[in-house]
């Protein structure tokens, strides 16, 4: 179990996973980006990654639709956003994968072969097996991988009807 560290940043309070291999970073923030990112916010995020983690990366995000759609991301010269997916993966260096969550569970998977996946797992995606779909889509070796679960809504704060529970 990795102990996460809470720090202050230009994005407010962030939670950072320590002890990752060199050239890798994982952090969560609770700052509100008002739904969609834009080029300025993407530049701010990549500048923060470069300053805080000494990693030069281009940000890739997705317009999330609560699905089991998984998209491979290649290194690009500037921020890009997939239009309909809930999981991103890449084997390219210099790619930062960003997902947005409110009450959903962020799942990040690294493997020893430099495969990175970032998953937006809401209840609809969980029912559709979004994490398994990501493992099927990306050449991740589960025996050589680590998964990190980020902050999510707590049971005390989320109520669902019987149709959702089923």
């Amino acid at each position: 179990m990795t102990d996460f560290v809470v720090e202050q940043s230009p994005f407010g309070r962030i939670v950072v996973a320590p002890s990752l291999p060199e050239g890798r970073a994982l952090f969560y923030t609770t700052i509100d980006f008002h739904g969609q990112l834009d080029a300025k916010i993407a530049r701010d995020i990549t500048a923060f990654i470069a300053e805080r983690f000494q990693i030069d990366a281009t940000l890739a995000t997705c317009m999330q639709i609560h699905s089991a759609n998984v998209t491979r991301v290649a290194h690009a010269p500037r921020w890009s956003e997939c239009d309909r997916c809930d999981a991103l993966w890449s084997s390219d260096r210099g790619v930062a994968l960003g997902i947005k969550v409110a009450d959903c569970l962020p799942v990040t998977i690294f493997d020893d072969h430099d495969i990175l996946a970032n998953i937006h797992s809401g209840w609809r995606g969980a029912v559709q097996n979004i994490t398994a779909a990501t493992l099927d889509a990306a050449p991740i070796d589960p025996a050589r991988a680590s998964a990190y679960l980020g902050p999510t809504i707590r049971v005390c704060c989320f109520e669902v009807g019987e149709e959702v529970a089923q």
Side-chain angles (χ1 to χ4, degrees), residues 15-29:
V15 180
V16 179
S19 304
L20 294 177
E22 186 173 331
R24 293 184 172 177
L26 171 60
F27 71 95
Y28 304 102
T29 177

Side-chain angles (χ1 to χ4, degrees), residues 125-161:
V127 166
Q128 297 173 65
N129 296 311
I130 182 73
T131 302
T134 304
L135 290 171
D136 290 342
I140 292 171
D141 179 356
R144 299 170 59 106
S146 298
Y148 297 84
L149 307 178
T152 187
I153 198 165
R154 299 178 307 165
V155 72
C156 67
C157 306
F158 189 66
E159 186 175 315
V160 298

Side-chain angles (χ1 to χ4, degrees), residues 2 11 30 38 48 52 65 72 78 85 98 104 108 137 155 157 164 166:
T2 299
F11 301 105
T30 57
D38 59 30
F48 170 72
R52 168 58 181 84
I65 56 172
R72 182 186 187 281
R78 63 186 160 280
C85 71
C104 300
T108 302
V155 72
C157 306
V164 173
Q166 289 178 357

Side-chain angles (χ1 to χ4, degrees), residues 29-163:
T29 177
T30 57
I31 194 165
D32 186 356
F33 289 110
H34 306 290
Q36 283 191 282
L37 298 182
D38 59 30
K40 182 193 178 314
I41 295 171
R43 282 191 306 273
D44 292 347
I45 292 170
T46 55
F48 170 72
I49 292 168
E51 181 181 321
R52 168 58 181 84
F53 300 103
Q54 293 76 51
I55 298 172
D56 184 27
T58 302
L59 181 65
T61 59
C62 54
M63 178 60 67
Q64 296 157 193
I65 56 172
H66 294 278
S67 70
N69 297 346
V70 180
T71 298
R72 182 186 187 281
V73 176
H75 186 268
R78 63 186 160 280
W79 167 63
S80 63
E81 184 162 72
C82 173
D83 64 350
R84 298 183 59 75
C85 71
D86 284 273
L88 301 168
W89 73 272
S90 185
S91 57
D92 293 357
R93 285 278 182 175
V95 176
L97 303 178
I99 57 169
K100 301 168 288 285
V101 295
D103 53 352
C104 300
L105 175 67
V107 180
T108 302
I109 303 171
F110 294 113
D111 87 356
D112 292 347
H113 297 121
D114 289 329
I115 308 295
L116 167 64
N118 217 353
I119 306 163
H120 165 251
S121 183
W123 73 263
R124 288 177 183 89
V127 166
Q128 297 173 65
N129 296 311
I130 182 73
T131 302
T134 304
L135 290 171
D136 290 342
I140 292 171
D141 179 356
R144 299 170 59 106
S146 298
Y148 297 84
L149 307 178
T152 187
I153 198 165
R154 299 178 307 165
V155 72
C156 67
C157 306
F158 189 66
E159 186 175 315
V160 298
E162 188 62 35
E163 73 286 355

